[in-house]
Amino acid sequence: MITDARALRPSYLPADLHHRDGKIDQLADALRPITDGDIGEDAFIFGPSGTGKTTLAKYVVRKLEQEALDLRWGYVNCMSGSSKNDVLHGLVRDAGLGADLRKEGTSTTKFLDRLREFDDQVVAILDEVDVLEDESTLHSLYDLPNLTLVLITIDEDDLFAHFDGRLRSRFMGSEMVRLERYRHEELCDILRARIKAGLAPGVIDERTVEYIADIAAGDARVGIAILRRATKRIMNEDESWISLDVVDSVQDEAREEIHQHHVDDLGTHKRLLYEIVEAAGEIGVTELHETYEQRAPEPKAKSTRRRYLASLESKYNLIASSGNGKGKSYTVPDF
């Protein structure tokens, strides 16, 4: 039934990206100077959840590796760790340049020196970049003579509103890659490609593929999660094909899987804020901050917490808010 389980995983990087040719070319052109040993053009990737922002970045950089003899690249999800030390440690480790450097006890200067002293080019992919605690992280990386930035987030206006004047000035000329939600037929093509790569013929028919795409409503992450959960269901129940009823039966499981994946991605302070809301059921903003300050060993500034809460709500849909100012309250929504 399954010919390659990797094709059903959210982290799978396909051989071809469907319906993103123009965006691939746009990002590749920005990074192309790296193939000649020069620094590339910094780039941003914007778009709603499930539009393939992270996949696009990794796909283009991996293709670039095939052309550039001397290139290292690293990926960091800033939701997992958004301090300067977290990001720089994650970057040098993922790029294979800092296996000997521990996060605790190593200065940010040491991480930056390791990147700077590398003889060749480095590409840094920073996901969910809007939750960075310290803008000096981007200032420091921007100043490295051999490093090109690919920065990923959902909302362009929100990101630049949080940048200081120097960062806005530095990045305004960068390449801006904007992704839209997939149309129905585009999402069907993506699902078909995953099915061809991962499942035996006859496991799912065209009508069911289109039904999954309808449910996912342009979000490839949701569509792939439903496909994966449906495959698990029929294997566990010793069935031979994915029916519409099976798809209906796993929708909630698929969304729960995505939800849990987002929770697992959270760094310490973001997870603490989420857990306080989850445990309370509903909590006012004042009580939330007070509880956080009591439980966090080294509480983050309120401005940083507000950014975390905004990301938990608007990007990951892990919490929901109602009201304004001191009357604002948070809950964990149903999914």
Side-chain angles (χ1 to χ4, degrees), residues 258-273:
I258 294 171
H259 173 91
Q260 190 57 50
H261 179 74
H262 288 330
V263 172
D264 292 343
D265 271 350
L266 298 177
T268 303
H269 294 269
K270 303 174 196 69
R271 185 186 289 265
L272 176 55
L273 288 166

Side-chain angles (χ1 to χ4, degrees), residues 284-286 324-329:
V285 65
T286 300
N324 296 292
K326 292 185 177 180
K328 193 170 192 176
S329 64

